[in-house]
Amino acid sequence: MPKAGPNLAEALRRYWGYHEFRPKQENVIRSLLAAHDTCVVMPTGGGKSLCYQLPAVVSGKTVVVVSPLIALMQDQVSALREAGVRAAFLNSSLSAEEAGSVERGLLASEYDLLYVAPERLMMPRFLQQLERLQASARLALFAIDEAHCVSQWGHDFRPEYRQLTILHERFPEVPRIALTATADAPTRREIVERLSLESAHQFVASFDRPNICYRVVEKDDARRQLKDFLGAHKGASGIVYCLSRRKVEETAAWLVEQGVAALPYHAGMEADTRALHQARFQREDGIVMVATIAF
């Protein structure tokens, strides 16, 4: 993959404001720029996204990112656009007209990065568009985010991820990077096997996160405990995760009754409402998002 545009250090400063890479980031990026398939395991907050975002701005081509999380796509695209990177997403939150506009933009080389849901990527029409992009040498690489979703033993298993071997079959010359924050050795082996990444360069970063603290307490009165916890962090933003959509709605409504600025978020909500709640969480102080793992 020939390099174009700014060099790595210059791009890192210009678009992300950093003066040095975190551990393993530069080696991962150079692996991709040398057209090697690559597997990356880094903790959340360890800088995985930069590993495929920076190649997008130095390669002069488009990076297609497969992601199962709508909220994360929207969040990353928003941040990239603010940094001056040309980015867009394709998922179920878009209307047919909006999706068509993004697809036309893809073929017109208007994006450095395009985030796409796995279901959308597998559509024959979209695969044909990718083939047109590749035929004109404008496809840089495929990034498969949350790659642990390929594991049938994990709670985040997504059957569509098993079909992503089609990227290797139909685009053998396009390098791929699989990334995850949650993969022990057996899961890493399954990712490699299921995604046909046997020859990939592998990078596993340390999971020591001294800035994160976990507390586990026995549940005896969940609502009282939640109210006490939020009371001790009055005015702070945060996320309360629930196992079901119904529980999300009930908990958010109850917190509002308690005077907490709480908003619900789950996949069963209207796309416009989800987007509004996500935007408020990003822009306003003191918002508590009550959500399923869709957030």
Side-chain angles (χ1 to χ4, degrees):
M1 185 191 307
K3 288 174 60 178
N7 63 35
L8 298 186
E10 179 187 348
L12 185 67
R13 289 192 300 270
R14 179 190 300 181
Y15 295 101
W16 287 273
Y18 300 134
H19 293 279
E20 60 182 23
F21 289 98
R22 294 183 183 180
K24 301 190 183 294
Q25 281 182 326
E26 185 174 4
N27 290 338
V28 171
I29 291 167
R30 293 196 180 281
S31 172
L32 290 172
L33 292 174
H36 294 298
D37 287 339
T38 307
C39 286
V40 174
V41 182
M42 288 182 180
T44 299
K48 293 187 299 299
S49 299
L50 183 75
C51 293
Y52 58 78
Q53 291 173 348
L54 196 148
V57 299
V58 301
S59 69
K61 302 179 181 180
T62 300
V63 170
V64 176
V65 185
V66 184
S67 173
L69 304 173
I70 290 176
L72 183 59
M73 284 191 211
Q74 295 170 337
D75 184 45
Q76 292 204 355
V77 167
S78 177
L80 286 166
R81 287 175 174 172
E82 288 185 12
V85 179
R86 303 176 306 161
F89 59 80
L90 266 176
N91 57 43
S92 59
S93 71
L94 300 181
S95 67
E97 182 179 352
E98 290 170 330
S101 176
V102 171
E103 290 177 348
R104 289 189 294 273
L106 172 67
L107 294 177
S109 296
E110 294 179 2
Y111 307 124
D112 300 309
L113 289 118
L114 177 67
Y115 287 75
V116 59
E119 300 86 354
R120 170 77 63 166
L121 181 138
M122 298 306 303
M123 291 182 177
R125 167 188 167 86
F126 187 73
L127 289 169
Q128 290 169 5
Q129 291 172 334
L130 292 178
E131 287 177 338
R132 290 172 61 184
L133 205 65
Q134 169 62 3
S136 58
R138 290 177 290 151
L139 187 56
L141 64 95
F142 292 109
I144 303 172
D145 207 1
E146 309 293 337
H148 60 275
C149 292
V150 77
S151 173
Q152 65 179 335
W153 306 113
H155 63 278
D156 289 331
F157 174 58
R158 294 283 290 266
E160 303 85 4
Y161 264 61
R162 292 290 183 89
Q163 302 174 45
L164 293 181
T165 53
I166 197 170
L167 298 177
H168 175 61
E169 296 162 2
R170 293 181 68 158
F171 307 93
E173 303 303 317
V174 180
R176 296 165 297 149
I177 178 172
L179 309 101
T180 181
T182 54
D184 54 13
T187 303
R188 292 201 298 273
R189 288 194 295 269
E190 188 169 7
I191 290 171
V192 166
E193 177 186 350
R194 298 294 184 183
L195 296 179
S196 299
L197 289 166
E198 287 81 5
S199 299
H201 293 178
Q202 295 197 30
F203 298 87
V204 181
S206 170
F207 280 75
D208 179 28
R209 298 293 301 281
N211 60 319
I212 292 180
C213 175
Y214 292 92
R215 281 184 58 208
V216 179
V217 297
E218 185 176 356
K219 183 170 73 172
D220 55 21
D221 183 343
R223 286 195 168 181
R224 178 189 58 77
Q225 289 172 297
L226 178 58
K227 183 178 178 180
D228 290 346
F229 179 84
L230 295 179
H233 298 81
K234 197 175 294 291
S237 300
I239 306 171
V240 176
Y241 281 105
C242 300
L243 292 177
S244 70
R245 298 175 183 180
R246 180 177 64 84
K247 201 67 174 177
V248 163
E249 296 284 356
E250 292 176 351
T251 303
W254 177 76
L255 285 175
V256 169
E257 292 175 357
Q258 307 305 307
V260 177
L263 297 171
Y265 189 106
H266 58 72
M269 297 169 59
E270 292 291 333
D272 288 346
T273 304
R274 283 203 313 265
L276 175 62
H277 288 188
Q278 179 176 339
R280 288 193 59 192
F281 182 74
Q282 290 174 318
R283 298 169 186 167
E284 298 179 25
D285 293 330
I287 297 292
V288 174
M289 188 73 87
V290 185
T292 62
I293 58 170
F295 188 71

